[in-house]
Amino acid sequence: MKNITILEAGLILRIVLGITMLSAVADRFGVWGAPGSHAVAWGNWENFVLYTQSLNSFANKATAEVLAGIATFFEVLLSLLLLFGFKTRLAALGTTFLMFFFAFAMSVSVSVKAPFDYSVWTSCAAALLLANIGKTSYAVDNRI
């Protein structure tokens, strides 16, 4: 059996991180099901805003709505950049920071255990590793 190269491992990291974030975005727009459905975290935008507010205790509802929008925008943008392999290092660093702040907020607001249960620290570390790999297979970056 052939060993996986760094280029291929980077491709896998790009795809998994991108899909992971897009899946979370899909959940907050009800793609995976309605609130309360099996394996659905939020099920709609309103529930996601309430969750954002719970992670940011300083935030009123309007501020939580803005923070939720900003997080969603960056999750979609960074996911697409990762999936296409365009500006991969920048996208991976952005993902690292996004995951770090999410994990930190979860640790402070929910419990230290929560970001471990949802593998947020793992995603943060994977993104940091990806940022340091350099080139990956099947990336737009390789064509530029």
Short mmCIF file of all heavy atoms in Angstrom, two decimals, residues 3 11 22 24 26 41 45 56 71 78 80 98-99 106 116 118 120 134:
data_model
loop_
_atom_site.label_atom_id
_atom_site.label_comp_id
_atom_site.label_asym_id
_atom_site.label_seq_id
_atom_site.Cartn_x
_atom_site.Cartn_y
_atom_site.Cartn_z
N ASN A 3 2.21 4.94 0.71
CA ASN A 3 2.12 5.89 1.81
C ASN A 3 1.47 7.18 1.34
O ASN A 3 1.66 7.61 0.21
CB ASN A 3 3.52 6.21 2.36
CG ASN A 3 4.12 5.06 3.10
OD1 ASN A 3 3.42 4.20 3.61
ND2 ASN A 3 5.44 5.01 3.14
N LEU A 11 -4.43 17.85 1.26
CA LEU A 11 -5.71 17.83 0.53
C LEU A 11 -6.82 17.33 1.45
O LEU A 11 -7.90 17.92 1.51
CB LEU A 11 -5.59 16.94 -0.71
CG LEU A 11 -6.89 16.64 -1.45
CD1 LEU A 11 -7.48 17.91 -2.04
CD2 LEU A 11 -6.65 15.59 -2.54
N LEU A 22 -18.80 24.07 6.52
CA LEU A 22 -20.02 24.22 5.71
C LEU A 22 -21.18 23.43 6.31
O LEU A 22 -22.33 23.86 6.22
CB LEU A 22 -19.76 23.80 4.27
CG LEU A 22 -18.92 24.77 3.44
CD1 LEU A 22 -18.70 24.20 2.04
CD2 LEU A 22 -19.56 26.15 3.37
N ALA A 24 -21.70 22.99 9.51
CA ALA A 24 -22.22 23.81 10.62
C ALA A 24 -23.08 24.96 10.09
O ALA A 24 -24.12 25.29 10.67
CB ALA A 24 -21.05 24.36 11.45
N ALA A 26 -24.74 24.91 7.26
CA ALA A 26 -25.97 24.29 6.76
C ALA A 26 -26.96 24.04 7.91
O ALA A 26 -28.16 24.24 7.76
CB ALA A 26 -25.65 22.98 6.04
N ALA A 41 -27.96 20.66 15.61
CA ALA A 41 -27.56 21.53 16.72
C ALA A 41 -28.50 22.72 16.87
O ALA A 41 -28.92 23.05 17.98
CB ALA A 41 -26.13 22.02 16.53
N TRP A 45 -31.75 29.86 11.99
CA TRP A 45 -30.89 31.00 12.28
C TRP A 45 -31.12 31.54 13.69
O TRP A 45 -30.17 31.89 14.41
CB TRP A 45 -31.10 32.09 11.23
CG TRP A 45 -30.22 33.28 11.44
CD1 TRP A 45 -30.59 34.50 11.93
CD2 TRP A 45 -28.81 33.36 11.21
NE1 TRP A 45 -29.50 35.33 12.01
CE2 TRP A 45 -28.37 34.65 11.57
CE3 TRP A 45 -27.86 32.45 10.73
CZ2 TRP A 45 -27.06 35.07 11.46
CZ3 TRP A 45 -26.55 32.87 10.62
CH2 TRP A 45 -26.16 34.16 10.99
N ASN A 56 -21.22 34.52 24.02
CA ASN A 56 -20.73 35.89 24.17
C ASN A 56 -21.64 36.62 25.15
O ASN A 56 -22.51 37.38 24.76
CB ASN A 56 -20.71 36.60 22.82
CG ASN A 56 -19.80 35.91 21.84
OD1 ASN A 56 -18.59 36.08 21.86
ND2 ASN A 56 -20.37 35.08 20.96
N ALA A 71 -19.40 35.43 11.85
CA ALA A 71 -18.88 34.06 11.94
C ALA A 71 -19.30 33.24 10.73
O ALA A 71 -18.49 32.52 10.13
CB ALA A 71 -19.36 33.40 13.24
N LEU A 78 -13.91 30.96 4.23
CA LEU A 78 -12.76 30.12 4.50
C LEU A 78 -12.96 28.70 3.98
O LEU A 78 -12.03 28.08 3.44
CB LEU A 78 -12.43 30.12 5.99
CG LEU A 78 -11.98 31.47 6.56
CD1 LEU A 78 -11.96 31.44 8.09
CD2 LEU A 78 -10.63 31.89 6.01
N LEU A 80 -14.76 27.74 1.37
CA LEU A 80 -14.62 27.74 -0.09
C LEU A 80 -13.15 27.87 -0.50
O LEU A 80 -12.69 27.18 -1.42
CB LEU A 80 -15.48 28.83 -0.72
CG LEU A 80 -16.99 28.62 -0.57
CD1 LEU A 80 -17.75 29.82 -1.11
CD2 LEU A 80 -17.44 27.34 -1.24
N LEU A 98 -10.39 31.42 13.82
CA LEU A 98 -11.84 31.26 14.02
C LEU A 98 -12.11 30.12 15.01
O LEU A 98 -12.90 30.27 15.95
CB LEU A 98 -12.52 30.98 12.67
CG LEU A 98 -14.03 31.02 12.64
CD1 LEU A 98 -14.55 32.43 12.91
CD2 LEU A 98 -14.52 30.55 11.28
N MET A 99 -11.46 28.99 14.80
CA MET A 99 -11.65 27.84 15.70
C MET A 99 -11.12 28.12 17.10
O MET A 99 -11.71 27.70 18.09
CB MET A 99 -10.98 26.59 15.12
CG MET A 99 -11.62 26.06 13.88
SD MET A 99 -13.31 25.52 14.21
CE MET A 99 -13.92 25.41 12.55
N MET A 106 -16.36 28.75 23.96
CA MET A 106 -17.04 27.58 24.50
C MET A 106 -16.49 27.22 25.88
O MET A 106 -17.26 26.89 26.80
CB MET A 106 -16.88 26.37 23.57
CG MET A 106 -17.73 26.42 22.34
SD MET A 106 -17.44 24.96 21.30
CE MET A 106 -18.45 23.76 22.14
N PHE A 116 -13.65 20.15 23.56
CA PHE A 116 -13.04 18.83 23.33
C PHE A 116 -14.09 17.85 22.81
O PHE A 116 -13.82 17.06 21.90
CB PHE A 116 -12.40 18.30 24.61
CG PHE A 116 -11.17 19.05 25.02
CD1 PHE A 116 -11.19 19.90 26.11
CD2 PHE A 116 -9.99 18.91 24.30
CE1 PHE A 116 -10.05 20.60 26.49
CE2 PHE A 116 -8.85 19.62 24.67
CZ PHE A 116 -8.88 20.47 25.76
N TYR A 118 -16.65 18.47 21.01
CA TYR A 118 -17.00 18.81 19.63
C TYR A 118 -15.79 18.96 18.72
O TYR A 118 -15.90 19.45 17.60
CB TYR A 118 -17.86 20.08 19.60
CG TYR A 118 -19.21 19.84 20.24
CD1 TYR A 118 -19.45 20.22 21.55
CD2 TYR A 118 -20.22 19.21 19.53
CE1 TYR A 118 -20.68 19.99 22.14
CE2 TYR A 118 -21.45 18.96 20.12
CZ TYR A 118 -21.67 19.35 21.42
OH TYR A 118 -22.88 19.10 22.01
N VAL A 120 -13.36 20.94 18.56
CA VAL A 120 -13.02 22.29 18.09
C VAL A 120 -11.51 22.51 18.19
O VAL A 120 -10.90 23.07 17.28
CB VAL A 120 -13.81 23.37 18.84
CG1 VAL A 120 -13.48 24.76 18.30
CG2 VAL A 120 -15.30 23.12 18.74
N GLY A 134 2.22 24.00 3.43
CA GLY A 134 2.61 24.57 2.14
C GLY A 134 1.68 24.09 1.05
O GLY A 134 0.47 24.15 1.21
#
